[in-house]
């Protein structure tokens, strides 16, 4: 009986193997990929040149001592506002003060003597007119008057110089602003022995200058009067504006780039001298331009003006090459390859291949 069943078992095994092969040959369909899409629609394009730069106070002063001596008083600390002419520090000047007093006495004496000799010369002129004095006597009197007047002027000039030197012992703020740096304390040595070091730095932040560099391909599009919008990391979410005031008459010989300067009104004091900023020079605006987010493009080549995105046709994704134009912030102009009204994949394209089935989760409206 066992021998008679073996052919039947062999046939059954062959039939099962054939069934398994037929089952494995049935292809499995790739599931649809969930994506988000957006409608390509015309928009307003702001043409701008992206730049970076550093803010600098237009008015700033570094103060040094012109005299030698010891600092006897320091009146201000760092980061306080000062007015033009406000005392900042004083240098010991007792010797100069004594010289000023002597010079004042000498100037007074010279003035009195000059007045006396001048009166004598006048009296001598009257006597000469009356025939009671000789011409020689008159000439001598006039010469003495001239000499006395010269001594009076010399004494007055010496007094003025000493007073100026005494005035320099009191160091004052040359401009309105804020003390950005103080490098002096009571007892420090001032003047030649200190090497002429900067002792105060005062900054007036009310007007700031922003210097930026424009590449050689764009410097022909900039002009005085254009707006420059910018922001900085220290003040997120805020945008500031300035106006281009000056263009460098020469380009950089290394890369042919051009430097320009914009004036920033900072009377509210929000910005600071030395801040690094990122901005854009507003060149113009164009309407009815197709713009897509930069993130939806792959293979972006700015030099060649080309990129790739996915367009949804029915339930399938189509890989499409597009020509790009101007960059505007986080968006890119599409010159050709995409038509207004078409749906492009805005999220989920990294999983796609050309011809894949897609399941649209959401559609962003323009």
């Amino acid at each position: 009986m066992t021998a008679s069943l073996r052919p039947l078992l062999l046939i059954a095994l062959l039939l099962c193997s054939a069934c398994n092969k037929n089952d494995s040959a049935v292809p499995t369909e790739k599931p649809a990929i969930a994506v988000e899409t957006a409608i390509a629609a015309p928009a307003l394009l702001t043409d701008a040149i992206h730049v970076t730069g550093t803010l600098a106070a237009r008015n700033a002063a570094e103060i040094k001592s012109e005299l030698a001596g010891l600092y006897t008083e320091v009146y201000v600390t760092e980061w306080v506002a000062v007015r033009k002419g406000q005392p900042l520090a004083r240098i010991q000047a007792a010797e100069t003060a004594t010289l000023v007093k002597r010079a004042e006495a000498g100037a007074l004496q010279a003035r009195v003597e000059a007045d006396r000799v001048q009166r004598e010369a006048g009296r001598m002129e009257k006597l000469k007119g009356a025939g009671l004095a000789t011409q020689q006597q008159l000439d001598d009197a006039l010469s003495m008057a001239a000499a006395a007047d010269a001594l009076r002027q010399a004494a007055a000039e010496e007094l003025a110089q000493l007073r100026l030197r005494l005035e320099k012992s009191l160091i004052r703020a040359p401009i309105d602003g804020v003390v950005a740096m103080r490098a002096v304390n009571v007892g420090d040595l001032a003047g030649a022995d200190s090497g002429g070091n900067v002792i105060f730095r005062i900054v007036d932040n009310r007007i700031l200058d922003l210097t930026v560099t424009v590449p050689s391909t764009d410097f022909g599009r900039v002009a005085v009067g254009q707006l420059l919008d910018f922001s900085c990391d220290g003040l997120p979410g805020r945008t500031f504006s300035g106006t281009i005031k000056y263009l460098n008459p020469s380009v950089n010989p290394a890369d042919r780039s051009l430097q320009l300067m914009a004036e920033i009104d900072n009377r509210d004091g929000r910005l600071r001298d030395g801040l690094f900023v990122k901005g854009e020079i507003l060149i113009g605006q164009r309407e009815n331009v197709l713009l897509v987010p930069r993130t939806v493009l792959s293979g972006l080549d700015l030099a060649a003006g080309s990129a790739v995105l996915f367009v949804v046709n029915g339930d399938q994704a189509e890989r499409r090459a597009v020509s790009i134009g101007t960059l505007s912030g986080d968006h890119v102009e599409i010159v050709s390859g995409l038509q207004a009204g078409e749906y492009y994949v805005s999220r989920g394209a990294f999983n796609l291949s050309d011809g894949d089935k897609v399941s649209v989760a959401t559609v962003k409206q323009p």
Side-chain angles (χ1 to χ4, degrees):
M1 181 179 295
T2 301
S4 62
L5 290 177
R6 285 180 180 175
L8 295 176
L9 291 174
L10 181 60
I11 292 172
L13 290 173
L14 292 174
L15 290 174
C16 289
S17 175
C19 290
N20 290 336
K21 289 182 180 180
N22 290 335
D23 290 342
S24 62
V26 176
T28 58
E29 185 176 358
K30 184 179 179 180
I33 300 174
V35 297
E36 294 182 6
T37 62
I39 303 175
L44 178 66
L45 170 65
T46 299
D47 192 5
I49 301 173
H50 295 273
V51 294
T52 59
T54 302
L55 295 172
R58 174 169 296 180
N59 295 319
E62 292 185 343
I63 304 167
K64 301 178 181 180
S65 171
E66 298 183 54
L67 301 179
L70 293 176
Y71 289 99
T72 57
E73 294 179 271
V74 178
Y75 302 112
V76 297
T77 185
E78 288 182 321
W79 311 330
V80 298
V82 294
R83 304 290 295 177
K84 182 178 180 178
Q86 179 176 334
L88 304 178
R90 183 182 292 277
I91 299 173
Q92 187 180 47
E95 182 179 352
T96 304
T98 301
L99 292 176
V100 167
K101 291 180 180 179
R102 289 180 182 177
E104 287 174 343
L108 177 59
Q109 183 178 359
R111 186 168 64 250
V112 170
E113 179 64 16
D115 291 342
R116 186 192 68 79
V117 175
Q118 187 64 41
R119 289 195 302 270
E120 182 65 22
R123 188 176 67 85
M124 192 61 65
E125 283 182 332
K126 291 179 181 179
L127 292 175
K128 176 64 172 61
L132 300 176
T134 65
Q135 183 64 41
Q136 181 64 44
Q137 289 175 321
L138 176 60
D139 292 342
D140 291 344
L142 292 175
S143 297
M144 292 179 62
D149 187 64
L151 290 174
R152 179 189 61 79
Q153 293 182 16
E157 291 177 0
E158 181 182 5
L159 175 60
Q161 291 296 324
L162 288 171
R163 283 176 173 171
L164 178 60
R165 183 177 178 184
L166 182 63
E167 175 62 25
K168 289 180 178 179
S169 67
L170 180 61
I171 298 172
R172 299 179 181 271
I175 61 172
D176 294 342
V178 176
V179 179
M181 183 271 286
R182 190 195 85 174
V184 62
N185 293 294
V186 173
D188 288 349
L189 184 63
D193 292 338
S194 66
N197 296 327
V198 176
I199 55 175
F200 293 99
R201 183 170 185 267
I202 298 177
V203 175
D204 182 0
N205 276 334
R206 290 175 296 180
I207 300 295
L208 298 174
D209 289 330
L210 174 57
T211 302
V212 300
T213 301
V214 175
S216 59
T217 55
D218 290 322
F219 78 77
R221 301 197 294 156
V222 297
V224 172
Q226 290 175 328
L227 293 179
L228 192 159
D229 293 339
F230 64 93
S231 60
C232 61
D233 294 338
L235 297 169
R238 292 202 57 180
T239 300
F240 303 90
S241 296
T243 305
I244 296 177
K245 289 293 184 181
Y246 308 103
L247 301 179
N248 191 331
S250 301
V251 298
N252 187 329
D255 57 7
R256 310 303 175 191
S257 61
L258 176 72
Q259 281 193 322
L260 55 87
M261 182 181 294
E263 180 181 282
I264 313 300
D265 186 343
N266 188 45
R267 282 175 288 186
D268 62 358
R270 297 291 296 174
L271 299 170
R272 296 287 185 271
D273 173 56
L275 274 178
F276 178 79
V277 302
K278 300 176 182 178
E280 56 184 20
I281 301 171
L282 304 180
I283 304 300
Q285 292 181 326
R286 287 185 286 144
E287 296 182 348
N288 299 320
V289 177
L290 282 183
L291 295 175
V292 300
R294 189 168 181 169
T295 54
V296 309
L297 299 174
S298 60
L300 183 63
D301 188 337
L302 299 178
S306 62
V308 173
L309 53 68
F310 282 92
V311 177
V312 174
N313 289 321
D315 62 350
Q316 284 191 326
E318 176 190 346
R319 187 178 185 274
R320 187 179 296 180
V322 294
S323 297
I324 63 172
T326 303
L327 274 67
S328 178
D330 296 330
H331 288 73
V332 181
E333 176 189 9
I334 302 298
V335 178
S336 63
L338 181 68
Q339 301 297 321
E342 287 189 300
Y343 292 84
Y344 62 87
V345 176
S346 60
R347 179 174 294 182
F350 63 91
N351 288 326
L352 289 178
S353 298
D354 189 37
D356 283 349
K357 284 191 174 183
V358 294
S359 172
V360 178
T362 58
V363 178
K364 291 184 179 180
Q365 299 298 322

